[in-house]
Amino acid sequence: MADTTITVPRGLAGVVVTDTTIGRVRGREGFYHYRQYSAIDLAERRTLEDVWALLIDGSLPAEPKALHREIAPLRHVPPAVAAALPGIAAACSSPDPMGGLRAALAVAGLAAGARPLYDTSPAERRAQAMTLCALTPSLLAALYRLRAGLEPIAPRDDLPHAANYLYMISGEEPSEPQARAIERYLIATVDHGFNASTFTARVIASTGADLYACIGGALGALSGPLHGGAPSRALDTLDAIGSVDRADAWLRARILGGERIMGFGHPIYRTEDPRSRMLKGIARELGGDLVDFAVAVEERVLSLLAELKPGRELHTNVEYYAGVVMHLCGLPREMFTPTFATSRVIGWCANVLEQAEDSKIIRPDSRYVGPRAPQPLP
């Protein structure tokens, strides 16, 4: 029988594996979209709840407050899950609550009696997705506070989703500029093509597993340092440089040493990351010495990369200014990646719901390169 396998590039780079109506990244243009709308236009002009409806239901809501009324009661942590959170928080060896979130969502799935996608209707899947997305920020905020020796703060039904998230972390209602800054960041990171975590969620969904298992797998993929979604590392770079007069020597040594400068370069974009451009504008709106320092360092990084790595097309990515914006909005550094996850779960769920409509399991092949078989058994 003829070999019908197809060899593809490592990492599946450039390989189209399915059709989607959720969105796409057009890296060479520096553009990406959700459904038929520019993601950046949505971040600048609409609310997170609007974009949530767009991704899950396929269209912007006709009544702006409708989705808020639906999700507000879903933010409250069920008693059985709340009872498990202190033990989960105590078991976490890292102050970053992302590992705890995977455990907490597993408990939430058990408490909800989540059934396999294969056995559920589209309406039941949507209901599960809405609950999971609404609950995730509450779980992350509770785990953070428990790790800090503080009592979790219950969500407020009157606050929009982004403002409520900040409130549950600090116990103080954020200012309008802070809430809107974080909301725009969350909208801009809801979805971003078939990245590793999104693809992981879809592979698991193709098996018919339950929604919580799909999102748990996506969170596992997100935890990998090569995935991205780690704005704290870019802020760590600014801390290490310390001052503008030290920037050139510090950067030059690391670039020539082959080290990656965190916050620069992207596997898809070959021009400026549109999310970075928007976040730079938000940072400038918030203002302060940190913003001025970040802008000055960015100019030196780009100049040195052009000098020392000519032709590499390395530009500022989303992580660079994301860390600056989140810091200025009062988020602790260990909550930077969890904040990214509070919005990305919406995109993951949208992809899972779409994948659940396809009954074909994702099952690629591999090329065996070991010793020729069969051989005599010793």
Side-chain angles (χ1 to χ4, degrees):
M1 182 180 293
D3 185 357
T4 59
T5 58
I6 301 171
T7 300
V8 299
R10 291 178 62 213
L12 302 181
V15 176
V16 174
V17 296
T18 193
D19 295 332
T20 182
T21 64
I22 294 170
R24 189 178 179 220
V25 180
R26 304 202 312 238
R28 293 199 172 275
E29 301 171 45
F31 173 79
Y32 71 113
H33 59 99
Y34 305 151
R35 306 294 183 183
Q36 67 268 44
Y37 304 111
S38 159
I40 297 301
D41 285 351
L42 288 165
E44 295 287 12
R45 298 170 52 191
R46 302 302 290 249
T47 67
L48 178 60
E49 287 83 348
D50 285 349
V51 176
W52 187 336
L54 176 66
L55 263 69
I56 298 297
D57 295 326
S59 61
L60 292 168
E63 207 279 280
K65 297 292 185 181
L67 191 125
H68 174 81
R69 289 193 296 270
E70 179 181 0
I71 65 172
L74 302 178
R75 296 171 180 164
H76 295 269
V77 180
V81 182
L85 292 181
I88 293 173
C92 293
S93 58
S94 166
D96 180 342
M98 289 295 287
L101 177 61
R102 294 200 298 273
L105 281 177
V107 174
L110 291 171
R115 298 194 300 141
L117 296 167
Y118 187 80
D119 296 327
T120 55
S121 67
E124 186 176 346
R125 295 171 201 154
R126 181 192 179 278
Q128 286 185 2
M130 299 301 281
T131 298
L132 189 153
C133 293
L135 190 59
T136 294
S138 301
L139 295 174
L140 283 168
L143 288 168
Y144 165 73
R145 290 184 64 84
L146 287 166
R147 285 281 297 163
L150 303 169
E151 286 296 315
I153 295 174
R156 274 177 48 183
D157 292 352
D158 62 307
L159 289 177
H161 203 64
N164 181 68
Y165 171 64
L166 293 173
Y167 166 73
M168 289 190 296
I169 290 173
S170 69
E172 298 178 3
E173 186 173 343
S175 68
E176 175 59 29
Q178 289 175 326
R180 184 59 186 145
I182 293 300
E183 182 172 51
R184 281 182 281 174
Y185 168 68
L186 295 178
I187 293 171
T189 54
V190 160
D191 188 62
H192 203 246
F194 263 42
N195 53 77
S197 56
T198 297
F199 187 51
T200 298
R202 292 190 73 128
V203 170
I204 298 172
S206 79
T207 71
D210 72 77
L211 180 73
Y212 290 81
C214 299
I215 303 307
L219 284 165
L222 178 63
S223 71
L226 295 183
H227 185 297
S232 61
R233 297 187 183 212
L235 205 56
D236 291 342
T237 296
L238 293 177
D239 287 345
I241 293 172
S243 60
V244 176
D245 61 301
R246 294 186 65 240
D248 275 38
W250 192 96
L251 292 165
R252 187 178 292 273
R254 279 148 186 84
I255 294 171
L256 291 175
E259 295 182 34
R260 180 185 173 191
I261 305 300
M262 302 308 294
F264 294 85
H266 193 278
I268 300 296
Y269 289 114
R270 295 298 175 262
T271 184
E272 186 181 16
D273 186 331
R275 301 169 298 177
S276 175
R277 187 187 315 122
M278 184 194 76
L279 288 166
K280 183 177 183 178
I282 294 172
R284 281 178 156 157
E285 291 172 14
L286 296 169
D289 292 342
L290 176 61
V291 178
D292 295 339
F293 179 48
V295 171
V297 170
E298 178 192 28
E299 292 174 357
R300 297 311 308 143
V301 172
L302 295 175
S303 176
L304 288 167
L305 286 173
E307 174 192 338
L308 302 174
K309 301 284 186 180
R312 288 286 303 276
E313 296 182 315
L314 296 170
H315 301 272
T316 316
N317 64 37
V318 64
E319 295 177 1
Y320 187 74
Y321 283 106
V324 173
V325 168
M326 284 189 273
H327 174 79
L328 293 174
C329 290
L331 283 166
R333 219 167 276 201
E334 60 264 38
M335 291 302 289
F336 286 2
T337 299
T339 300
F340 173 88
T342 64
S343 67
R344 187 52 64 88
V345 292
I346 299 171
W348 288 334
C349 282
N351 274 275
V352 167
L353 295 180
E354 184 176 69
Q355 187 65 45
E357 296 297 316
D358 185 348
S359 61
K360 182 68 173 177
I361 190 171
I362 298 173
R363 207 295 190 188
D365 205 346
S366 61
R367 181 190 296 110
Y368 174 72
V369 295
R372 182 179 176 85
Q375 293 189 21
L377 186 65

